[in-house]
Amino acid sequence: DQQVKQNSPSLSVQEGRISILNCDYTNSMFDYFLWYKKYPAEGPTFLISISSIKDKNEDGRFTVFLNKSAKHLSLHIVPSQPGDSAVYFCAATNYQLIWGAGTKLIIKP
Amino acid sequence: NAGVTQTPKFRVLKTGQSMTLLCAQDMNHEYMYWYRQDPGMGLRLIHYSVGEGTTAKGEVPDGYNVSRLKKQNFLLGLESAAPSQTSVYFCASSYGEAQPQHFGDGTRLSIL
């Protein structure tokens, strides 16, 4: 039973455009959500997070939106840059971190 | 500025062999974690520790043991390796329970 789902295994976006990565969850007890970025042969690195008491959090080019009623969160990257090409994981927690399967983002020049 | 260091980076074992993966962090974090990542799946928690001398089971603990004798080190042991344990193993650490985790670069383990 996947509690955190990233339904798009991959996404291709033109450089300079907006990248939108989506994540759905089933457990209404999750109270904190995180996005991580992973390059090949490296560990995941923390990108941005959001508490369940908020619906938006921004950090530079990265914005995370949370829709609790739909149990859905999304990560917006604008403008997309070649260095953003990586696998993006969403994760959710109330006491233990549960991870999605990841979305591979490819930024085309 | 090492952060989280995992050794070894690669290892090939035969079925039934044992080995220990070492994780070391220099950030004085209380919490440490061991994950495995398999193709098409997210990271799955094997075991974790909330402080020196403590360990707890995660989502997929069977076939693994851990020890946290020193705050900066978290060891993952495979007593009798099985092909199903072929995976990439990641260690992570964090200040607290809901704090962002800092990861090592992983250990790629193949069991033949």
Side-chain angles (χ1 to χ4, degrees):
Chain A
D1 177 30
Q2 280 188 292
Q3 296 187 63
V4 178
K5 294 182 183 180
Q6 293 178 258
N7 292 319
S8 298
S10 66
L11 175 68
S12 186
V13 174
Q14 203 73 37
E15 181 179 356
R17 297 286 184 96
I18 184 171
S19 296
I20 300 176
L21 296 103
N22 294 303
C23 181
D24 297 298
Y25 62 95
T26 57
N27 188 342
S28 58
M29 298 300 292
F30 289 142
D31 56 7
Y32 191 61
F33 304 86
L34 306 93
W35 284 93
Y36 284 79
K37 176 180 180 179
K38 184 182 179 305
Y39 292 119
E42 294 184 10
T45 55
F46 170 70
L47 198 55
I48 192 170
S49 63
I50 187 167
S51 165
S52 60
I53 63 173
K54 294 186 174 182
D55 54 18
K56 178 182 175 182
N57 189 26
E58 268 183 279
D59 184 2
R61 295 186 298 113
F62 303 91
T63 303
V64 57
F65 295 92
L66 176 63
N67 183 332
K68 284 192 295 182
S69 61
K71 295 192 179 67
H72 177 83
L73 67 156
S74 60
L75 174 68
H76 293 211
I77 306 172
V78 55
S80 300
Q81 298 174 354
D84 296 330
S85 294
V87 176
Y88 289 78
F89 292 96
C90 71
T93 181
N94 60 342
Y95 73 99
Q96 206 172 88
L97 205 56
I98 305 298
W99 295 73
T103 296
K104 184 176 183 179
L105 177 64
I106 301 164
I107 306 301
K108 298 180 293 185
Chain B
N1 196 17
V4 178
T5 303
Q6 291 184 232
T7 52
K9 295 191 184 305
F10 304 95
R11 186 74 185 267
V12 178
L13 290 179
K14 294 182 179 179
T15 298
Q17 287 185 317
S18 63
M19 80 161 295
T20 301
L21 281 65
L22 172 64
C23 177
Q25 53 97 1
D26 61 3
M27 296 171 283
N28 203 33
H29 285 168
E30 289 294 334
Y31 285 61
M32 295 188 75
Y33 313 82
W34 275 107
Y35 291 93
R36 60 179 288 174
Q37 187 192 12
D38 300 296
M41 302 183 74
L43 280 72
R44 291 184 294 167
L45 184 64
I46 303 171
H47 286 280
Y48 64 101
S49 168
V50 302
E52 182 179 319
T54 75
T55 63
K57 293 180 179 180
E59 181 185 356
V60 288
D62 294 343
Y64 305 95
N65 57 76
V66 287
S67 64
R68 183 107 181 260
L69 299 180
K70 293 183 179 180
K71 186 176 184 178
Q72 63 268 33
N73 294 337
F74 196 28
L75 306 181
L76 177 71
L78 286 74
E79 289 187 348
S80 179
S84 61
Q85 294 177 306
T86 293
S87 189
V88 180
Y89 291 85
F90 288 101
C91 175
S93 70
S94 68
Y95 280 114
E97 191 172 68
Q99 297 300 310
Q101 296 176 15
H102 299 256
F103 283 81
D105 286 339
T107 295
R108 186 173 294 275
L109 185 61
S110 294
I111 316 295
L112 304 179

